[in-house]
Amino acid sequence: MWSWFLARLKGIFNLFASIIIFFVLLFVVSAVIGAFTQKTLPGEIVLTMDLRKALPDKRANNPFADQRSVGSLIDAVTALAQAETDDRVKGAFIRVGGGGMSSADAQELRDALKAFRAKGKFVVAHAQAFYSTGMGDYFLATAADEIWLQPVSEMNTAGVSSTAVFLRSLMDKIEAKPEFTQRYEYKNAANMFTEKDFTAAHREATMRLIESVFETATAGIAADRKKTSQEIVALIDGAPHLTQEAIDKKLIDKQGYDDEAEDAALARAGGKAEIMKLSDYYKQAGSPWEGIGRPTIAFVHGDGQINDGESEGGGFGGESSMGGDTIAKAIRDATDDDDVKAILFRVNSPGGSALASDQILDAIKKAQKAGKKVVVSMGNVAASGGYYVSLSADQIYAHETTITGSIGVLSGKIVTVGSWALLGIDMKSVGVGKNALFDSATQSFTPEQWAAFNKGVDQIYEDFTAKVAAGRKLPIEKVREIAKGRVWTGADAKARGLVDQFGGFRAALEKTKALAGLAPDAEINLKSYPATKNPFEEIAEMFGTSAQMVRTIALMGEVMETEPAAGFLKVMADESKATKAPQMRMLPQKTQ
């Protein structure tokens, strides 16, 4: 028995030792090779960026990803900001048209590309097709000097639409009983379970939302293509357009394949320029907002659903989340840092836990009380809890097409005991305590429980609207009128006093500098809170590794930053992921 155990223990030890030796040798070899192959930036550059797939707002905390690459929307904006003052960079060649670009993300990138062009650079965009009928891809493309489309292709840009799924008929068939309460009629997320069609309020809010996005996009496109909004609307209503027809109607400029458009971009740069991926440029050139000895602005990035506890990093294909503990601590740490002049809080979230949202808002208020100005930059969506965490900021920036508002509360459960019975499965619950089965899926709320449940929801809603009134300095009556759970675009939200200014990350950063008392041309150090974890901290947290093992793995730090090691570990991660079955869980909780 003991000999068997010791043999296994020795085998495990030898495995770890072999892995460590492998990485040490890999490090030595990579270091030697790297010393002789270190790349330098070309004298003349045309940057390339593939935007056919949407970029996440925040970089995933993936230990196998290069930590200085264009892995997010904010990375792309930062890299372009660095490039716009780099004389070596002559222009950019971007690929568009994949169908995954939201209008707000398009606006963020449009702002970056326009700032880039304002410094005398050019932008050439190429689409194999504009596959989607939505506006985002073409809206982005019109920020370029030239738009190319592949021959005999299609431009399907036709407008803005929204599709809602209603499961009430299915709920009835499987004898599942949805029991939800909402504050108020526009808080419609549970309608998919409780309704068979749009309610009047749901339809009204959705129609206004997509109308507002359409108005913003067509106005922006019209300005870029030197047409009136009415002309652009008429052309869009005539979609789809084939390539030559799109050229004839001056919706695009040229036709050709991607290599031909790329060659045209190089020729425009003067013929001596080299193509370089924006990610490769960013690795070497870095950020314009980092440097020792500069005034410090804290940057806190909240991305994804708001949950209690720690944030999830979104590595290995998972989704990012905004943990109350993580974000609140980041804001508190920035507050306590005497070097921090002000805080920029990026919010890209549809909401989530009411308590975690309140925890984050409390941290912001304490930062302001301590004398730190806080500016919020809203991403694609900052609604419900995403708006809650923003409402106290000294300034709120949003794009006209940002989805925001949704000042309301929704909570409930689905009683599934009847569904299981259809499968011949009997679910029975017992509990000690009158309300021990309050959240149970095996029984409906009693009248007394339902009354108590609604009382709690009312209290959260009243607290939410009161905090909006205080934070936005609005009469409570006005807040109650524009709240009711209704979602607004940034354009409509600004008209109602819910946001202050239009603009993205860079505009919000400039305002943060101003509130910190810094000159517009002052160089700053944008410091992330919490600090970005290195790959070894991510691995240790992921697998629950001991502190001693973390220290051992940390010896391989330089190794794991090399491309060969990153590639090897990525293969290992993919193999590990393939052996694990997917899991799904749902916990009852009040949401905002």
Side-chain angles (χ1 to χ4, degrees), residues 310-466:
E310 299 293 323
S311 297
E312 296 291 333
F316 302 106
E319 293 186 358
S320 294
S321 74
M322 189 170 164
D325 288 356
T326 302
I327 301 300
K329 184 179 186 303
I331 295 168
R332 292 166 189 159
D333 288 345
T335 303
D336 294 338
D337 189 336
D338 292 336
D339 291 334
V340 169
K341 306 300 182 184
I343 300 171
L344 174 59
F345 183 23
R346 175 76 172 188
V347 178
N348 188 59
S349 172
S353 165
L355 296 178
S357 299
D358 197 45
Q359 180 185 14
I360 294 168
L361 177 62
D362 177 70
I364 291 172
K365 288 182 175 180
K366 287 174 178 173
Q368 293 171 309
K369 188 175 181 180
K372 301 286 174 77
K373 297 292 186 179
V374 179
V375 175
V376 162
S377 166
M378 291 181 168
N380 182 49
V381 57
S384 196
Y387 187 78
Y388 189 104
V389 300
S390 307
L391 61 86
S392 179
D394 295 279
Q395 287 280 291
I396 299 176
Y397 277 71
H399 290 295
E400 291 90 332
T401 55
T402 293
I403 298 171
T404 189
S406 192
I407 301 166
V409 187
L410 168 69
S411 191
K413 66 181 181 180
I414 300 177
V415 180
T416 58
V417 64
S419 305
W420 292 109
L422 291 175
L423 300 174
I425 301 172
D426 295 317
M427 292 183 66
K428 307 294 181 182
S429 301
V430 295
V432 177
K434 182 179 179 181
N435 295 309
L437 301 178
F438 183 81
D439 285 328
S440 174
T442 63
Q443 67 176 41
S444 296
F445 291 109
T446 66
E448 294 80 8
Q449 289 172 341
W450 185 243
F453 190 66
N454 276 274
K455 182 178 179 181
V457 170
D458 284 334
Q459 183 177 346
I460 294 172
Y461 181 73
E462 290 169 8
D463 182 64
F464 194 171
T465 51

Side-chain angles (χ1 to χ4, degrees), residues 53-350:
K53 291 184 179 179
L55 288 168
D57 201 75
K58 182 181 180 183
R59 175 201 302 276
N61 288 343
N62 186 341
F64 307 113
D66 192 318
Q67 293 305 300
R68 174 168 265 181
S69 64
V70 179
S72 72
L73 189 68
I74 300 302
D75 286 343
V77 171
T78 303
L80 286 168
Q82 177 73 353
E84 70 185 41
T85 57
D86 189 336
D87 292 338
R88 293 166 297 193
V89 178
K90 306 303 178 184
F93 172 64
I94 62 174
R95 305 289 301 279
V96 297
M101 186 67 61
S102 73
S103 294
D105 287 351
Q107 283 194 277
E108 190 82 52
L109 289 165
R110 278 169 57 86
D111 289 349
L113 292 171
K114 285 176 177 287
F116 181 78
R117 288 178 58 195
K119 296 294 185 179
K121 322 285 185 177
F122 67 82
V123 178
V124 173
H126 181 272
Q128 286 183 285
F130 287 100
Y131 290 101
S132 172
T133 58
M135 303 290 289
D137 294 289
Y138 183 60
F139 191 25
L140 171 61
T142 56
D145 296 273
E146 278 182 10
I147 306 173
W148 289 58
L149 184 61
Q150 188 164 306
V152 200
S153 185
E154 285 188 329
M155 182 178 172
N156 293 317
T157 307
V160 185
S161 64
S162 178
T163 301
V165 175
F166 297 98
L167 302 177
R168 182 54 191 262
S169 294
L170 175 62
M171 295 287 105
D172 292 343
K173 286 182 179 179
I174 64 174
E175 297 186 16
K177 184 180 180 184
E179 297 183 346
F180 289 92
T181 188
Q182 58 203 52
R183 299 294 181 275
Y184 276 101
E185 65 269 25
Y186 294 101
K187 194 72 174 180
N188 49 49
N191 286 10
M192 69 179 298
F193 302 112
T194 61
E195 305 293 337
K196 297 180 180 180
D197 196 353
F198 287 99
T199 63
H202 190 178
R203 185 179 296 277
E204 175 194 352
T206 302
M207 282 299 300
R208 177 55 204 157
L209 194 74
I210 61 178
E211 286 171 355
S212 181
V213 171
F214 185 75
E215 290 164 4
T216 297
T218 51
I221 291 167
D224 290 331
R225 300 304 297 178
K226 296 179 174 54
K227 293 179 180 292
T228 66
S229 292
Q230 292 77 11
E231 288 174 325
I232 290 296
V233 170
L235 288 169
I236 287 173
D237 284 345
H241 301 289
L242 296 178
T243 302
Q244 186 57 53
E245 184 183 5
I247 293 174
D248 295 340
K249 296 180 181 300
K250 300 189 185 306
L251 289 169
I252 64 170
D253 301 293
K254 296 182 180 180
Q255 61 177 311
Y257 293 91
D258 54 297
D259 62 327
E260 295 168 338
E262 185 179 287
D263 288 343
L266 286 169
R268 187 164 183 161
K272 295 181 180 179
E274 297 181 31
I275 287 289
M276 189 175 198
K277 290 183 178 179
L278 186 67
S279 55
D280 292 335
Y281 173 80
Y282 187 38
K283 290 176 194 176
Q284 296 187 57
S287 166
W289 305 307
E290 59 183 20
I292 298 172
R294 300 177 180 181
T296 298
I297 300 293
F299 180 50
V300 179
H301 201 157
D303 184 54
Q305 179 126 344
I306 301 172
N307 57 268
D308 298 335
E310 299 293 323
S311 297
E312 296 291 333
F316 302 106
E319 293 186 358
S320 294
S321 74
M322 189 170 164
D325 288 356
T326 302
I327 301 300
K329 184 179 186 303
I331 295 168
R332 292 166 189 159
D333 288 345
T335 303
D336 294 338
D337 189 336
D338 292 336
D339 291 334
V340 169
K341 306 300 182 184
I343 300 171
L344 174 59
F345 183 23
R346 175 76 172 188
V347 178
N348 188 59
S349 172

